Amino acid sequence: MTSECTPRFLASDNTSGICPEAMAYLLEANQVDDLAYGNDHWTERAANRFRQMFDYDCEVFFVFNGTAANSLALSAMGRSYHSVICHELAHIETDECGGPEFFSNGAKLLTSPGANGKLTPEGIEALVTRRSDIHYPKPKVVSLTQATEVGTVYTREELLAIRAIADKHDLRLHMDGARFANACASLNATPAELTWQVGVDALCFSGTKNGLAMGEAILFFNRELAEDFSYRCKQAGQLASKMRYISAPWLGLLESGAWLTNAQHANAMAQYLTQGLQALPGVSLMFPAQANSVFVELPAHAISALKAKGWTFYTFIGAGGARFVCAWNTTVELLDLLIADVKIALEQHSG
Amino acid sequence: MTSECTPRFLASDNTSGICPEAMAYLLEANQVDDLAYGNDHWTERAANRFRQMFDYDCEVFFVFNGTAANSLALSAMGRSYHSVICHELAHIETDECGGPEFFSNGAKLLTSPGANGKLTPEGIEALVTRRSDIHYPKPKVVSLTQATEVGTVYTREELLAIRAIADKHDLRLHMDGARFANACASLNATPAELTWQVGVDALCFSGTKNGLAMGEAILFFNRELAEDFSYRCKQAGQLASKMRYISAPWLGLLESGAWLTNAQHANAMAQYLTQGLQALPGVSLMFPAQANSVFVELPAHAISALKAKGWTFYTFIGAGGARFVCAWNTTVELLDLLIADVKIALEQHSG
Amino acid sequence: MTSECTPRFLASDNTSGICPEAMAYLLEANQVDDLAYGNDHWTERAANRFRQMFDYDCEVFFVFNGTAANSLALSAMGRSYHSVICHELAHIETDECGGPEFFSNGAKLLTSPGANGKLTPEGIEALVTRRSDIHYPKPKVVSLTQATEVGTVYTREELLAIRAIADKHDLRLHMDGARFANACASLNATPAELTWQVGVDALCFSGTKNGLAMGEAILFFNRELAEDFSYRCKQAGQLASKMRYISAPWLGLLESGAWLTNAQHANAMAQYLTQGLQALPGVSLMFPAQANSVFVELPAHAISALKAKGWTFYTFIGAGGARFVCAWNTTVELLDLLIADVKIALEQHSG
Amino acid sequence: MTSECTPRFLASDNTSGICPEAMAYLLEANQVDDLAYGNDHWTERAANRFRQMFDYDCEVFFVFNGTAANSLALSAMGRSYHSVICHELAHIETDECGGPEFFSNGAKLLTSPGANGKLTPEGIEALVTRRSDIHYPKPKVVSLTQATEVGTVYTREELLAIRAIADKHDLRLHMDGARFANACASLNATPAELTWQVGVDALCFSGTKNGLAMGEAILFFNRELAEDFSYRCKQAGQLASKMRYISAPWLGLLESGAWLTNAQHANAMAQYLTQGLQALPGVSLMFPAQANSVFVELPAHAISALKAKGWTFYTFIGAGGARFVCAWNTTVELLDLLIADVKIALEQHSG
């Protein structure tokens, strides 16, 4: 039975494995030796495929994980005495143990609140205009997460409005695309429409959450920011010697279209879960479920009961909140099981 | 024919792929979802296996590559105003683009010459006693590479002598084990005999060069140095979210014994190549071939001829020097082909 | 007349000059050449005088300014992946352009609210216990400012309560003593009573705000934290070659007792100003004036009128707030002039 | 008698005090309160005076000491993964405890030998062309010291040749002017002739060695490199709150012409000492004495005898070498005493 052999993991899309399309390319890349440090053919093909898919001659780099992708990109977009504007729930602020500050050698993050985990032009402007003295680190970059940390997405109109305020104050625009594919799927938009066409300077596109074992792509649409960036990656311990084991699986995702179908599946599962949970009395959605995450408020006893049954999920967003994340391989069976257990948990206590 | 379909790569053990034993575990780890950030069972098993194999309750961490492994370990062993003593040919000095300085936020490397790529007690002491003023970064760590960058190995006696001088001056001992397995094979010594039993405080053990796609293990025998080290890895972009894709292949290497048989094979191939090349007139060995690398002096015309035939190898050690590195999958056929091509290259010109 | 020739500076105690007692020692130190880098006799005498005055064999270092003093002390008290707990109005958070993050290579500041600019045990504990995962920088230091940024002082009881919570969670205690002398004067307490006797590990004692041209003293009561600290200062550009020009004026402050009388005078002037302003209708005090700063709420038109008359003061704490800071050389005449101008400004508009 | 009351300090120009011209301005600046953080009138006047004196609209910044001046300027001229080419005896390499690496967050210094402490175009080119791979930090800056660490000076022709090779390889040119005034005096050249007219991008001009208590000026002739540099200084703990105590004495040096007459005097004293020592048998000059330092080879017994008599001087340049540095206040009487003592020391042993 599914309930016996499948781990009850909905904590993150990090618990899922390598999808078949990526694995096929990984295995193929393993057939023959190839040159090191990205001089292999897989890496070149993958970079070109990104350029084709984004319809833009961007600079493409591969690094190991998201901490590094975001931190290195931000370091290239400002200096140590600059500041980065981000949402107060941004992953770079809350979950990187000071990674952006470390890689940038001291750049401060200035945080802004905002409904549904989204930065607003007003929030950005408030931080920029608050002070102009030398004791305040000069704002240089806006970093936004697409899809956001609470499972919502920025529309094209919202992105354009942020770009306008960035232009007004000479700020660069960084996109943390930990779930970029889910945003494309959610908005039914092309990668180009959500990035350079709305003025994004650099995108960190996650492969790990999309079906790879590890590996993120950094795409610079503002090519000047990529000057000597390969040296930066090398120095910072992010140049894979056998880089084909990152780039070949990426190519698998891109050529097969799995980058999008994986995201579409995960989003669909989140929708399925949302509907199932909303049908239960006593469950309320915390944020609109627009990508692959579902945030619901649950009574404390229900959370405890679910954890006792082996369900893993995060409860870090406030008291009584639970986050369930769907991945490329999440099944309806698992979600049905979860919904049933939530129902039981809610009834038991009130009974 | 082999000569047609096999790449003529002897530039580095980085050009080889994933060995079967590691791949089997990787595929198995991909069967079921598992917890992220090293909380999976593979990681725990791999760490315990290291402890068993080294016969020591050491602290074990997994990171993505060698730049990070060495730089992070060194950062934990000193502070920014300390210095690290290493050989002038040490990889951390010559090939990391300032990585150790970056991760440590400024620690200087003090370099020493030494025959066959090896530090000597005298060389270390000279650097420590040269100055004692505050303008000279205080020596705190000795870093040595085992096997060395020129394919030689430190004997146990040499290591003990270095430990003695380190004790005298209160220095910590770091071992860059990019080819540690090859050293064990060469010396027919156990991992314990070459590390904590001779006073090594921390070892960076490379899996990438030993048959993995990526991933290195950092072992702290001096456990105090590992305090909060997991935070350091996280902040520095070296915590893999799907860590089982590093730790499971490592476990494959360790449980199968491939970590050693791979190294033994590579060393044997280097011996085979050495003998084949030494039999040719006009070829002289630059260093004793004690591990899996062979350094020979070749006339410039021969180097050019070989490169023209598609052979890839490094020539960075001085003029006229060539480095050939054997890996776990290097074949006798490939080496025979190389030896034959060297012979032709030498004859053509003199003819 | 005073009002004509004296600058109307109440923006900061940074606008005042060198007090006579410090200048006398500076001039004497200039009579004869002396050894560099702190090996002169003035520096030794000043350090010993600090030890005598604090009744403790602490480690003493001199650096150029407050940014450096606080940032270097904090760097010595934690590592890059640790965090520092401070009040949300702490100078290290609001006015150092990322200095603490720069010197520590990435340590995050975790901020807490608190009435009257003061940290509370509850606020500290909330930050420590909020999370315990590796993605959250581990709290290691509590930094408090004495007197605070809003002109209040921590009582000994409050300090002891903070030390208790610090002990509970293994945190080190840093005191930003930009106006430490004013706190001693305000509380009528000895330096010992406000530092090591309440468990302060390190104090940054400002000379600049107390009557020097520049120069701060860092005192480590927890001597282990001072290991190799002189190397840290050197590397970070904070070792004065002609150090006697910092230490001799410090000695002047200490031996003459001016360190305290200067602070007593500044505090008394702040009291005088407080009473004068409070007597005016429409002026309300924002915080208790316990040291040498006075924060009052003024209508926007009054602030504009005062600035138009050449008064310099900060208005950064919220809308309608004005900060006036008194120094060792602030005169009753200047304050009378200010009070009169405030009175006029308030009347003009309402009239 | 002079010999009794004057310290026998010839170790460095750091042992001398504040010259009268600088002191006069310091005292004047102390008469009236003034704005903080460089917004005072002294700082503006001093910066303008530098522009006038260099006949160039350069950017001018004041910092506390030479470690900071050089390290911050170099940080602004490259990134962490770049490298700085300097002479193997350069102060930034030998005597800053890793300061440049710290402020730049990891930039490596690549050192070159060269007669008389001077870089050569050939030496620079050898380092640039040695490698072009990503594992070698990309050379971006050439740093030379004028006058050099061994008391010689670069001629205008030598500087132009270095600028030519810098242009060829797109390198920026940094001048460590710890003894820049002495070089101007030695070459009878204007500041402009030795800086922007020969393509220097940034100069660190030392006031401390020229008669100030502390304080160095950083002049950017390449103004683009100075973008946001004031933020960098602030973050790095190099913004003096009472900046007039650095800038006013500087203005005193500049307006009085003491910057040059001080240097001329020190150089003349070095000439006097050179002639006196060369007249003694057994003394040989190590380098041409072209500025204010004299390097001579002395027998070990003579060095010991001099130190026993209380003479302080450095002996760090090789065995048997002694460095004597003259300052703005070095007297003929003191040098006569030294020469006499050297004579005695040499005779005693051979007798």
Side-chain angles (χ1 to χ4, degrees):
Chain A
M1 237 185 74
T2 302
S3 61
E4 295 307 308
C5 58
T6 302
R8 302 177 178 194
F9 293 154
L10 288 160
S12 174
D13 21 21
N14 283 332
T15 58
S16 63
I18 306 174
C19 70
E21 297 85 351
M23 183 61 91
Y25 277 64
L26 187 154
L27 292 172
E28 192 183 335
N30 199 43
Q31 294 306 306
V32 188
D33 284 11
D34 213 332
L35 291 172
Y37 299 116
N39 296 314
D40 61 278
H41 296 298
W42 297 97
T43 301
E44 188 185 2
R45 282 174 60 193
N48 283 333
R49 185 77 193 196
F50 270 115
R51 294 187 189 103
Q52 178 186 334
M53 169 174 156
F54 278 80
D55 196 19
Y56 197 89
D57 186 22
C58 51
E59 296 272 4
V60 181
F61 301 88
F62 296 98
V63 298
F64 292 111
N65 71 3
T67 307
N70 286 320
S71 298
L72 288 176
L74 290 171
S75 297
M77 299 174 86
R79 291 279 202 155
S80 64
Y81 41 82
H82 289 143
S83 52
V84 175
I85 292 173
C86 65
H87 193 275
E88 61 187 2
L89 295 178
H91 197 81
I92 56 171
E93 165 66 11
T94 64
D95 282 274
E96 295 296 15
C97 197
E101 292 87 348
F102 174 78
F103 283 95
S104 66
N105 198 22
K108 273 186 96 75
L109 306 185
L110 305 180
T111 64
S112 175
N116 291 326
K118 297 191 216 174
L119 282 174
T120 62
E122 297 72 28
I124 294 167
E125 185 148 55
L127 287 172
V128 176
T129 58
R130 187 203 288 175
R131 288 169 60 180
S132 62
D133 60 272
I134 206 176
H135 312 284
Y136 184 67
K138 190 175 173 178
K140 195 75 176 178
V141 188
V142 171
S143 175
L144 52 82
T145 314
Q146 176 78 313
T148 74
E149 280 76 12
V150 297
T152 60
V153 294
Y154 288 90
T155 64
R156 270 177 56 83
E157 291 66 35
E158 289 171 327
L159 294 171
L160 285 168
I162 286 175
R163 179 67 257 178
I165 206 73
D167 281 341
K168 179 175 173 191
H169 296 293
D170 195 23
L171 303 172
R172 291 156 178 167
L173 191 51
H174 166 261
M175 183 174 279
D176 175 352
R179 296 184 180 91
F180 179 70
N182 301 285
C184 291
S186 172
L187 291 161
N188 198 23
T190 66
E193 288 171 335
L194 295 185
T195 54
W196 62 270
Q197 291 186 4
V198 291
V200 170
D201 291 300
L203 167 71
C204 295
F205 192 160
S206 175
T208 312
K209 290 183 162 65
N210 197 230
L212 301 190
M214 64 195 71
E216 319 286 282
I218 306 175
L219 280 63
F220 285 100
F221 305 105
N222 180 339
R223 295 170 58 101
E224 282 184 19
L225 296 175
E227 187 186 347
D228 290 339
F229 192 77
S230 54
Y231 288 87
R232 184 184 290 278
C233 292
K234 166 65 196 184
Q235 181 182 41
Q238 293 293 329
L239 178 67
S241 57
K242 298 184 178 178
M243 196 183 280
R244 69 187 191 272
Y245 291 102
I246 292 179
S247 54
W250 254 117
L251 189 64
L253 282 186
L254 301 185
E255 288 193 337
S256 68
W259 75 273
L260 186 58
T261 52
N262 280 351
Q264 288 168 334
H265 174 82
N267 287 5
M269 288 299 98
Q271 283 306 309
Y272 184 88
L273 178 60
T274 299
Q275 290 160 17
L277 291 176
Q278 280 187 310
L280 303 176
V283 175
S284 70
L285 213 58
M286 296 173 72
F287 306 101
Q290 298 172 333
N292 63 322
S293 302
V294 182
F295 291 78
V296 291
E297 282 180 38
L298 288 177
H301 72 86
I303 288 176
S304 300
L306 291 170
K307 296 217 162 179
K309 282 194 177 179
W311 292 99
T312 70
F313 54 96
Y314 277 98
T315 52
F316 56 95
I317 308 284
R323 183 187 83 162
F324 301 101
V325 186
C326 300
W328 65 269
N329 64 343
T330 301
T331 61
V332 166
E333 289 73 20
L334 187 73
L335 298 181
D336 283 342
L337 198 61
L338 172 63
I339 294 163
D341 279 353
V342 172
K343 186 162 185 289
I344 293 167
L346 290 169
E347 290 169 349
Q348 277 178 325
H349 196 263
S350 55
Chain B
M1 237 187 75
T2 302
S3 61
E4 295 308 309
C5 59
T6 303
R8 301 176 181 196
F9 292 155
L10 288 159
S12 174
D13 21 21
N14 283 332
T15 57
S16 63
I18 306 174
C19 70
E21 296 84 353
M23 182 61 90
Y25 277 63
L26 188 155
L27 292 172
E28 192 183 336
N30 199 44
Q31 294 306 306
V32 188
D33 285 11
D34 213 331
L35 291 172
Y37 299 116
N39 296 313
D40 61 277
H41 296 298
W42 297 97
T43 301
E44 189 184 2
R45 282 174 62 194
N48 284 334
R49 185 75 192 196
F50 269 115
R51 293 187 189 102
Q52 177 186 335
M53 169 174 155
F54 278 80
D55 195 19
Y56 198 90
D57 187 21
C58 51
E59 296 273 4
V60 181
F61 301 89
F62 296 97
V63 297
F64 292 111
N65 71 2
T67 307
N70 286 319
S71 298
L72 288 176
L74 290 171
S75 296
M77 299 173 85
R79 291 279 201 155
S80 63
Y81 41 81
H82 289 142
S83 52
V84 175
I85 292 173
C86 66
H87 193 275
E88 61 187 1
L89 295 178
H91 197 79
I92 55 171
E93 165 68 12
T94 64
D95 282 274
E96 295 295 15
C97 196
E101 292 88 348
F102 173 79
F103 283 95
S104 67
N105 198 21
K108 274 186 95 75
L109 306 185
L110 305 180
T111 64
S112 175
N116 292 325
K118 296 192 218 174
L119 282 173
T120 62
E122 297 72 28
I124 294 167
E125 186 148 54
L127 287 171
V128 176
T129 58
R130 188 203 285 175
R131 289 169 59 179
S132 62
D133 60 271
I134 206 174
H135 312 284
Y136 184 68
K138 189 176 174 177
K140 195 73 175 180
V141 188
V142 172
S143 175
L144 52 81
T145 315
Q146 174 80 313
T148 74
E149 280 76 12
V150 298
T152 59
V153 295
Y154 287 90
T155 64
R156 270 175 56 83
E157 291 67 35
E158 289 171 327
L159 294 170
L160 285 169
I162 287 174
R163 179 68 257 178
I165 206 74
D167 281 340
K168 180 176 170 188
H169 296 292
D170 195 22
L171 304 171
R172 292 156 177 166
L173 191 50
H174 166 261
M175 183 175 278
D176 174 352
R179 295 184 181 93
F180 178 71
N182 301 284
C184 291
S186 172
L187 290 161
N188 197 25
T190 67
E193 288 171 336
L194 296 184
T195 55
W196 63 271
Q197 291 186 1
V198 292
V200 170
D201 291 301
L203 167 71
C204 296
F205 192 159
S206 175
T208 312
K209 290 183 162 63
N210 197 231
L212 302 188
M214 65 194 68
E216 319 286 282
I218 306 176
L219 281 64
F220 285 100
F221 305 105
N222 180 339
R223 294 169 59 101
E224 283 183 18
L225 297 174
E227 186 185 348
D228 291 339
F229 192 77
S230 53
Y231 289 87
R232 184 184 290 278
C233 292
K234 166 65 195 184
Q235 181 181 42
Q238 293 292 328
L239 178 67
S241 56
K242 299 184 178 177
M243 195 183 280
R244 68 188 192 273
Y245 291 103
I246 292 180
S247 54
W250 254 118
L251 190 64
L253 281 186
L254 301 184
E255 289 192 337
S256 68
W259 75 273
L260 186 59
T261 52
N262 280 351
Q264 288 168 333
H265 174 81
N267 288 6
M269 288 298 99
Q271 283 306 308
Y272 184 87
L273 178 59
T274 299
Q275 288 159 18
L277 291 176
Q278 279 189 309
L280 303 177
V283 174
S284 71
L285 213 58
M286 295 173 71
F287 306 101
Q290 298 173 332
N292 63 322
S293 301
V294 182
F295 292 78
V296 290
E297 282 181 37
L298 288 177
H301 72 86
I303 288 177
S304 300
L306 290 169
K307 296 217 162 178
K309 282 196 176 177
W311 292 100
T312 70
F313 53 96
Y314 278 97
T315 53
F316 55 94
I317 307 284
R323 183 187 84 162
F324 300 102
V325 186
C326 299
W328 64 269
N329 63 344
T330 301
T331 61
V332 166
E333 289 74 19
L334 187 73
L335 298 181
D336 282 342
L337 198 61
L338 172 64
I339 294 164
D341 279 353
V342 172
K343 187 162 184 287
I344 293 168
L346 290 169
E347 289 170 350
Q348 277 180 324
H349 197 264
S350 56
Chain C
M1 240 188 73
T2 302
S3 61
E4 294 307 309
C5 58
T6 302
R8 301 175 181 197
F9 293 156
L10 288 159
S12 173
D13 21 20
N14 284 332
T15 57
S16 63
I18 306 175
C19 69
E21 297 85 352
M23 182 62 89
Y25 277 64
L26 188 154
L27 292 172
E28 191 183 336
N30 199 43
Q31 294 305 307
V32 188
D33 285 11
D34 213 332
L35 290 173
Y37 299 117
N39 296 313
D40 61 278
H41 296 298
W42 297 96
T43 301
E44 188 185 1
R45 282 174 60 194
N48 284 333
R49 185 77 192 196
F50 270 114
R51 294 186 189 104
Q52 179 186 334
M53 170 174 155
F54 279 80
D55 196 18
Y56 198 88
D57 187 22
C58 52
E59 296 272 5
V60 181
F61 301 88
F62 296 98
V63 298
F64 292 111
N65 71 3
T67 308
N70 286 319
S71 298
L72 288 175
L74 291 170
S75 297
M77 298 174 85
R79 291 278 202 157
S80 64
Y81 40 82
H82 289 142
S83 51
V84 175
I85 292 174
C86 66
H87 193 275
E88 62 188 1
L89 295 179
H91 198 80
I92 56 171
E93 165 66 13
T94 65
D95 281 274
E96 295 295 15
C97 196
E101 292 88 346
F102 173 78
F103 283 95
S104 67
N105 199 21
K108 274 187 96 76
L109 305 186
L110 305 180
T111 64
S112 175
N116 292 326
K118 296 191 218 175
L119 282 173
T120 62
E122 297 72 30
I124 294 166
E125 185 149 55
L127 286 172
V128 176
T129 58
R130 188 202 286 175
R131 289 168 59 179
S132 62
D133 60 271
I134 206 174
H135 311 285
Y136 184 68
K138 189 176 174 179
K140 195 72 175 181
V141 187
V142 172
S143 175
L144 52 83
T145 314
Q146 174 79 317
T148 75
E149 281 74 13
V150 298
T152 58
V153 295
Y154 287 91
T155 63
R156 271 175 55 83
E157 291 66 37
E158 289 171 328
L159 294 171
L160 285 168
I162 287 175
R163 180 68 257 178
I165 206 73
D167 282 340
K168 179 175 172 189
H169 296 293
D170 196 22
L171 304 172
R172 291 157 178 166
L173 190 51
H174 166 260
M175 182 174 280
D176 175 352
R179 296 183 180 93
F180 178 71
N182 301 284
C184 291
S186 172
L187 291 160
N188 198 25
T190 67
E193 287 172 335
L194 295 185
T195 55
W196 62 269
Q197 291 187 2
V198 292
V200 170
D201 290 302
L203 166 71
C204 296
F205 192 160
S206 175
T208 311
K209 290 182 163 63
N210 196 231
L212 301 189
M214 64 194 69
E216 319 286 283
I218 307 175
L219 279 64
F220 285 100
F221 305 105
N222 181 338
R223 294 169 59 99
E224 282 182 20
L225 297 174
E227 187 186 349
D228 290 340
F229 192 76
S230 54
Y231 288 87
R232 184 184 290 278
C233 292
K234 166 66 196 184
Q235 182 182 41
Q238 293 292 329
L239 178 66
S241 56
K242 298 183 178 177
M243 195 183 280
R244 69 187 190 272
Y245 291 103
I246 292 180
S247 54
W250 254 118
L251 190 64
L253 282 185
L254 301 185
E255 288 192 337
S256 68
W259 75 272
L260 186 58
T261 52
N262 280 350
Q264 288 169 333
H265 174 81
N267 287 5
M269 289 299 97
Q271 283 306 309
Y272 183 88
L273 178 59
T274 298
Q275 290 161 17
L277 291 176
Q278 280 188 308
L280 303 176
V283 176
S284 69
L285 212 59
M286 296 173 71
F287 306 100
Q290 298 173 332
N292 62 322
S293 301
V294 181
F295 291 78
V296 291
E297 282 181 39
L298 289 176
H301 72 86
I303 287 176
S304 300
L306 290 169
K307 296 217 162 178
K309 283 196 176 179
W311 291 100
T312 68
F313 54 95
Y314 278 97
T315 53
F316 54 96
I317 307 284
R323 183 187 83 162
F324 301 101
V325 186
C326 299
W328 64 270
N329 63 344
T330 301
T331 61
V332 165
E333 289 74 19
L334 187 73
L335 298 181
D336 283 342
L337 198 63
L338 173 64
I339 294 165
D341 279 353
V342 172
K343 187 162 183 287
I344 293 167
L346 290 169
E347 290 169 350
Q348 278 180 328
H349 198 264
S350 55
Chain D
M1 238 186 75
T2 303
S3 60
E4 294 308 308
C5 58
T6 303
R8 302 177 180 196
F9 293 155
L10 287 160
S12 174
D13 21 20
N14 283 333
T15 58
S16 62
I18 306 174
C19 70
E21 297 84 354
M23 182 61 89
Y25 276 65
L26 188 155
L27 292 173
E28 191 183 335
N30 200 43
Q31 294 306 307
V32 188
D33 284 11
D34 213 331
L35 291 172
Y37 299 116
N39 296 314
D40 61 278
H41 296 298
W42 298 97
T43 300
E44 188 184 1
R45 282 174 61 193
N48 284 333
R49 185 78 194 197
F50 269 115
R51 293 186 190 103
Q52 179 185 334
M53 170 174 154
F54 279 82
D55 196 20
Y56 197 89
D57 187 22
C58 52
E59 297 273 4
V60 181
F61 301 88
F62 296 97
V63 298
F64 292 111
N65 71 3
T67 307
N70 286 319
S71 298
L72 288 175
L74 290 171
S75 296
M77 300 173 84
R79 291 278 202 157
S80 64
Y81 41 81
H82 288 142
S83 52
V84 175
I85 292 174
C86 65
H87 193 275
E88 61 187 1
L89 295 179
H91 198 80
I92 56 171
E93 165 66 13
T94 64
D95 281 274
E96 296 295 15
C97 197
E101 292 87 347
F102 173 79
F103 283 94
S104 66
N105 199 20
K108 273 185 96 74
L109 306 185
L110 305 180
T111 63
S112 176
N116 291 326
K118 296 192 218 173
L119 282 173
T120 62
E122 297 73 29
I124 295 167
E125 185 147 56
L127 286 172
V128 176
T129 58
R130 188 202 287 175
R131 290 169 57 179
S132 62
D133 60 273
I134 205 176
H135 312 283
Y136 184 67
K138 189 176 174 178
K140 195 72 176 181
V141 187
V142 172
S143 175
L144 52 82
T145 315
Q146 177 77 317
T148 73
E149 279 77 12
V150 297
T152 59
V153 294
Y154 287 91
T155 64
R156 271 176 55 85
E157 292 66 37
E158 289 171 327
L159 293 171
L160 285 167
I162 286 175
R163 179 68 257 180
I165 206 74
D167 281 340
K168 181 175 171 188
H169 296 293
D170 196 22
L171 303 172
R172 290 156 179 168
L173 190 51
H174 166 262
M175 183 174 280
D176 174 353
R179 296 184 180 92
F180 178 70
N182 301 284
C184 291
S186 172
L187 290 161
N188 198 23
T190 67
E193 287 171 337
L194 294 185
T195 55
W196 62 270
Q197 291 186 2
V198 291
V200 169
D201 290 302
L203 167 71
C204 296
F205 191 160
S206 175
T208 312
K209 290 183 163 66
N210 196 230
L212 301 189
M214 64 195 68
E216 319 286 283
I218 306 175
L219 280 64
F220 285 100
F221 305 104
N222 181 338
R223 294 169 60 100
E224 283 183 18
L225 297 174
E227 187 185 349
D228 290 339
F229 192 77
S230 53
Y231 288 87
R232 184 184 290 278
C233 292
K234 166 66 194 181
Q235 182 182 41
Q238 293 292 327
L239 177 66
S241 56
K242 299 184 178 177
M243 196 183 282
R244 69 188 190 274
Y245 291 102
I246 292 179
S247 55
W250 253 117
L251 190 64
L253 281 186
L254 301 185
E255 289 193 336
S256 69
W259 76 272
L260 187 57
T261 52
N262 280 351
Q264 288 168 334
H265 174 80
N267 288 6
M269 288 298 97
Q271 282 307 308
Y272 184 87
L273 178 59
T274 299
Q275 289 160 18
L277 291 176
Q278 280 187 310
L280 303 176
V283 175
S284 69
L285 214 58
M286 296 173 72
F287 306 101
Q290 299 172 333
N292 63 321
S293 302
V294 181
F295 291 79
V296 291
E297 284 181 36
L298 289 177
H301 71 86
I303 288 176
S304 300
L306 291 169
K307 297 216 162 178
K309 284 196 177 178
W311 292 99
T312 70
F313 54 95
Y314 278 98
T315 52
F316 56 94
I317 308 283
R323 183 187 83 162
F324 301 101
V325 186
C326 300
W328 65 269
N329 64 343
T330 301
T331 61
V332 165
E333 289 74 21
L334 187 72
L335 298 181
D336 283 341
L337 198 63
L338 172 64
I339 294 165
D341 279 353
V342 172
K343 188 163 182 286
I344 293 168
L346 291 168
E347 289 170 351
Q348 277 180 324
H349 197 263
S350 54

